[in-house]
Amino acid sequence: DGIKRVMDHGRSKPLVAYAVGHGEPVDDRASSLVQDIIMPNYQFVVFDLKNQPKIPDDINALILLKPTEPFSEIDNLKIDQYIMHGGKVLFFVEPLQAEMDTFRLKQRIFPYQTDLKVTHLIYHYGARINPSLLFDIQCDQYPLMSGNDVRGNSLLPWNVCPILTGSDGHPITQNVDFVSARFANTVE
């Protein structure tokens, strides 16, 4: 207890936890988020949601990033209780998934629906993540091989990767540049 008090005493940055236990990426797919965004501004811990009895109150925010395995009722209850006690959760979940690996191999996108058993919790707090992909004409480009192009690749509009922009007057997006959202689901 004394060591914990000494460590907590010097804490000036909020504590952000990255939840694992439901197939979340723990490789290069998550490292840029951790290294570039979280580490400079926050203390960071990996938190095993499945094997802990509750989410500690000293965690300021919990990140659920691209889980691929369903959440149990117990895990949903832990998240719900954490939120009810003032905790903040960033849900980066995809009820409809599509991967670039499939496109690279088959030259087609095969989105598939997943039941992560967490969308009802999100709905309880006023949002619904739909199992549909967001398409937009303002989109990123993707290099595709062209049989007639001697240079090899052509950059073509990739409508499933919309370019998102924020409002300059909004505090959340005022300093955020354009964001390429690859295979984003719609939210209401």
Side-chain angles (χ1 to χ4, degrees):
D1 193 6
I3 293 174
K4 184 176 180 346
R5 275 189 280 140
V6 168
M7 294 198 53
D8 288 347
H9 180 69
R11 187 187 311 178
S12 60
K13 295 180 181 180
L15 179 61
V16 173
Y18 181 79
V20 295
H22 299 91
E24 294 84 359
V26 291
D27 54 15
D28 292 341
R29 294 175 292 165
S31 66
S32 65
L33 170 71
V34 172
Q35 294 298 322
D36 299 339
I37 298 172
I38 297 174
M39 294 295 278
N41 303 303
Y42 304 95
Q43 288 189 65
F44 175 76
V45 295
V46 174
F47 181 76
D48 190 343
L49 186 61
K50 274 187 175 179
N51 293 320
Q52 298 298 322
K54 70 174 253 176
I55 302 168
D57 294 334
D58 64 339
I59 292 176
N60 299 99
L62 181 70
I63 297 174
L64 301 175
L65 179 67
K66 201 173 173 132
T68 58
E69 298 169 11
F71 286 74
S72 69
E73 287 300 318
I74 299 286
D75 292 338
N76 274 305
L77 180 62
K78 292 176 197 176
I79 296 167
D80 183 54
Q81 289 302 301
Y82 173 71
I83 293 170
M84 294 294 287
H85 288 96
K88 287 133 187 93
V89 180
L90 297 166
F91 289 95
F92 297 101
V93 296
E94 301 174 323
L96 186 69
Q97 293 192 7
E99 301 292 337
M100 288 303 293
D101 295 344
T102 306
F103 182 76
R104 287 187 194 104
L105 294 173
K106 302 196 185 235
Q107 300 297 308
R108 289 195 173 127
I109 299 284
F110 294 104
Y112 56 95
Q113 193 166 349
T114 59
D115 184 10
L116 298 172
K117 299 189 186 323
V118 74
T119 53
H120 70 281
L121 178 65
I122 297 168
Y123 182 74
H124 176 73
Y125 285 102
R128 180 191 330 245
I129 303 174
N130 297 315
S132 60
L133 293 177
L134 178 63
F135 288 78
D136 198 347
I137 197 164
Q138 182 180 340
C139 58
D140 210 347
Q141 295 183 336
Y142 189 75
L144 294 175
M145 292 297 291
S146 173
N148 297 333
D149 190 350
V150 286
R151 294 168 293 172
N153 292 337
S154 297
L155 288 176
L156 298 176
W158 197 243
N159 295 48
V160 292
C161 295
I163 301 291
L164 307 177
T165 59
S167 169
D168 287 338
H170 197 280
I172 293 176
T173 59
Q174 66 185 359
N175 293 323
V176 177
D177 208 355
F178 297 108
V179 175
S180 177
R182 185 178 292 175
F183 305 121
N185 295 124
T186 61
V187 177
E188 57 181 291

